[in-house]
Amino acid sequence: MVQTERLVHRVADLNCSEVAETTTTVAVRDSKTPAGPILTVAPAAFTTFVNWTSTGAE
């Protein structure tokens, strides 16, 4: 089994997302719909996205 680190982001208990990271991919899903779709991206792309959102970009 691959070791993952699971992070959960909650905003006022309305919008929840889970992020699981391995050495080769980052997976993101809606925590209220665990059987629903999962977005997977390369770790570098996810880091770029997080850095972009942290800048307050519109």
Side-chain angles (χ1 to χ4, degrees):
M1 177 176 244
V2 175
Q3 181 70 27
T4 63
E5 181 177 335
R6 182 174 166 254
L7 306 170
V8 178
H9 177 70
R10 298 182 190 280
V11 177
D13 291 327
L14 297 175
N15 301 309
C16 307
S17 59
E18 294 179 339
V19 177
E21 181 180 10
T22 70
T23 56
T24 58
T25 190
V26 176
V28 182
R29 73 177 181 184
D30 182 344
S31 65
K32 293 175 285 194
T33 314
I38 298 172
L39 172 68
T40 57
V41 296
F46 188 75
T47 299
T48 299
F49 171 73
V50 169
N51 290 340
W52 177 76
T53 60
S54 298
T55 64
E58 296 181 21

